[in-house]
Amino acid sequence: MKPWFTIEQLDEDSYIISEYRHWEETHCYLLNGTRRSLLIDTGLGIGNIQGEIRNLTDKPVTAVATHVHWDHIGGHWYFPRFYAHQAELPWLTGQFPQPLEAVRQFVTHRCDLPEGYDVSAYRLFQGTPEKVLAGGEILDLGGRRVAVLHTPGHSPGHMCFWEESRGYLFTGDLVYKGTLAAWFPSTDPEAYLHSLETVAALPVRRVLPGHHALDIQPEIILRMQDAFRQRKAEGTLCHGSGTYDYGDWSVQL
C-alpha cells in the first residue's frame, strides 16, 4: 500500500512529516525533547498521523498548530493535548469561516486519496485547548526550548515557532515557496508585513515552511519583507489589489 505520509529526519531528534499526495504538500514537524514531544501542525486529517508519531517518539505529545485552518489541524483528533492561539478559539467551536462542504472539496482537489477514503466522513476539528497562547511563551520540551511568536496576517492567530539554539524557524503559512494567501476576509495584509518584519530580524539558519518545497533559504524572508514594503509604499498592500509574482513565490492580496 502506498504510504500517505513521507517521513524525513531533520536532525537526530526532529522529523518532517509531509503529505505530498495532496496538492498543498503540507508539512508537520515533530520535535522530541527529553521530557516531551511537540508536534507543530497535524496536517490535512486524511491519514492517521498518530500512527506515524508513535514510531518516532515514546514521549507524551502536545500538538500545536501554526493556525486553525483545516489543513493544519486535521489530525488534532488524535491529540487531546493541544495548544491554540486565543484569537482563533472561536474557530474551534463551530465558527470556522468556511463551510464544511467547501472544505471537503478542498480535501479532494488534486489529491491522490487513499483507496476507500470516504470524504463524506471528513469533519472540521473542534475542541478545547489544554493551553491558550498569546505569543511570547517558551515551550520547554526538556533540553529544547521553543519560542512562540504571534505572527498574524495569514490568519489572526497565526504563530511561528522559533528554536533559537538550532536556528530553526517553523513558519506555517507566513513564509513558503508558492502563492501566499492574504486575500480572504480573515487575512490582514498590513499585519502580514509586520509579521515578516518580526521574523526577518531573527538569525534564522533554517526555514521550515508549512507547504511545498523544503529547500528554502532564510534570505526569502527579506525578499518577502521588501516586496510587502513596496506594495505598501505603492498603496497596493490591501485586499483586492491583485496577485504579485516574485519568481519562486507570489502573494494574492
Side-chain angles (χ1 to χ4, degrees), residues 158-230:
H158 190 283
M159 295 177 286
C160 290
F161 299 94
W162 168 235
E163 189 172 11
E164 183 176 10
S165 64
R166 305 187 192 207
Y168 292 168
L169 181 66
F170 302 89
T171 60
D173 281 10
L174 181 73
V175 174
Y176 59 84
K177 287 184 177 179
T179 302
L180 305 180
W183 59 271
F184 41 86
S186 56
T187 65
D188 183 337
E190 290 272 356
Y192 209 124
L193 169 57
H194 180 72
S195 294
L196 287 171
E197 291 173 336
T198 296
V199 299
L202 300 173
V204 177
R205 295 197 294 273
R206 182 74 186 266
V207 173
L208 295 153
H211 299 284
H212 306 311
L214 291 167
D215 62 335
I216 180 170
Q217 300 302 313
E219 55 82 28
I220 198 173
I221 302 174
L222 297 175
R223 288 194 283 122
M224 289 179 173
Q225 171 190 254
D226 292 345
F228 270 68
R229 285 175 171 173
Q230 179 185 10

Side-chain angles (χ1 to χ4, degrees), residues 49-98:
I49 193 171
Q50 184 184 46
E52 304 295 334
I53 298 303
R54 285 189 184 129
N55 296 325
L56 302 175
T57 184
D58 58 0
K59 304 293 192 301
V61 178
T62 299
V64 62
T66 53
H67 57 300
V68 183
H69 281 172
W70 68 276
D71 52 327
H72 294 263
I73 63 165
H76 269 44
W77 298 106
Y78 300 108
F79 301 98
R81 297 185 60 189
F82 74 95
Y83 301 162
H85 193 276
Q86 59 188 8
E88 295 177 359
L89 296 182
W91 293 358
L92 293 168
T93 58
Q95 299 179 52
F96 189 68
Q98 291 176 312

